[in-house]
Amino acid sequence: ALAVKFQSQGSLTLEGSIDGSLDTAELVLDVADPQAHVAGTLGQLLSTPVWDLRANSPSLQLPPSSQDPAATLTEVQAHTSGEWPQFNLDLAADLDIPGFEPSQFTVSGSGTSHDFTAQKLTLQGPEFSLDGAGTLSWEDTLRLALDANVARLDLRTWIPEWPENQPVNGQFAVSW
């Protein structure tokens, strides 16, 4: 039997527990700042680890320790499962970027220890809609590839002279 309770204080304050065996254990983890809760199962801890975890947070700032965050995710809900080094991830949150209307962000995909492929990426707001897919990799260098459709995008946010009631609709691709 495995029963571990732990606490950590410092740059990341957390407490949690792992109960079960090395074959199957229940994990509960609570983080203080940023506030987050993670719970689920871990397995095969001495061979090829497997997991099925759910996480939620009322608010996450991006970047995390910024006085003026570039973005804030609220009502964050995430689910990840996998067998190391492969994983699946589903994430949904409200997204607030200064100067823009709040929007809903979702991503569903799969990855490995060195990349993540978003099979479905959406960003829905009152002034725009974005649906796409892409890949982020970080093995040797950071790389991003994204293909997306955008609808109802009001360019007056960036180009004040843009005519009113003439939103942009189209497709775009990013490769970096």
Side-chain angles (χ1 to χ4, degrees), residues 3-8 14-19 26-30:
V4 178
K5 293 187 187 279
F6 53 89
Q7 284 186 321
S8 171
L14 58 90
E15 66 179 60
S17 64
I18 301 174
D19 292 306
E26 295 293 322
L27 169 74
V28 176
L29 179 65
D30 288 303

Side-chain angles (χ1 to χ4, degrees), residues 46-67:
L46 294 179
S47 59
T48 305
V50 297
W51 65 92
D52 187 357
L53 302 170
R54 295 193 181 276
N56 61 63
S57 175
S59 180
L60 298 173
Q61 291 184 344
L62 304 172
S65 59
S66 174
Q67 293 286 24

Side-chain angles (χ1 to χ4, degrees), residues 2 5 14 28 32 59 69 76-77 97-98 100 103 107 110 112 114 133 153 162-163 167:
L2 175 67
K5 293 187 187 279
L14 58 90
V28 176
S59 180
V76 180
Q77 300 288 323
I97 298 174
F100 293 92
S103 57
V107 62
S110 58
T112 68
H114 53 82
L153 180 61
W162 191 265

